[in-house]
Amino acid sequence: MISICGNDALRELSSPGKSGSFFYLTNDDRYMIKTMRKAEVKVLIRMLPAYYNHVRNYEDTMVTKFFGLHCVKSTGPAQKKVRFVIMGNLFCSEYTFHRRFDLKGSSHGRVTDKPESEIEANTTLKDLDLNFIFRLEKKYFQDFCR
């Protein structure tokens, strides 16, 4: 509650993605807030029972943790609704990241347009940029697959 509603303002991340969603980070980097369209909210609500069961069964899941789905309506004649989800920030960790990827499981338009010389640790890469071979111990591999 303090992270989101404390005295510090939320930080808006660069520009909205293709979906038109806006992203905000809490000052302590623990949580991310994403605005959502009504259709996205419906999909998330449909997935919620399976998601809940997964998170309960696998406490160490690598899936993003969602903490709340909200909607606020502005006052005045327009009364526009803004829907948003609060989720854990996967990049808030004691580990140092040398590459970041936004993986969607698609290849359509899923390559970063920056040249290799301009890619930094905070550059978000996409599916087709992932050109690593991963070797995991058997137990870690089984945990990952589960």
Side-chain angles (χ1 to χ4, degrees), residues 16-33:
K18 288 182 184 178
S19 68
S21 296
F22 290 91
F23 293 86
Y24 301 91
L25 272 176
T26 58
N27 199 44
D28 60 7
D29 287 335
R30 291 180 60 195
Y31 303 99
M32 183 177 285
I33 298 170

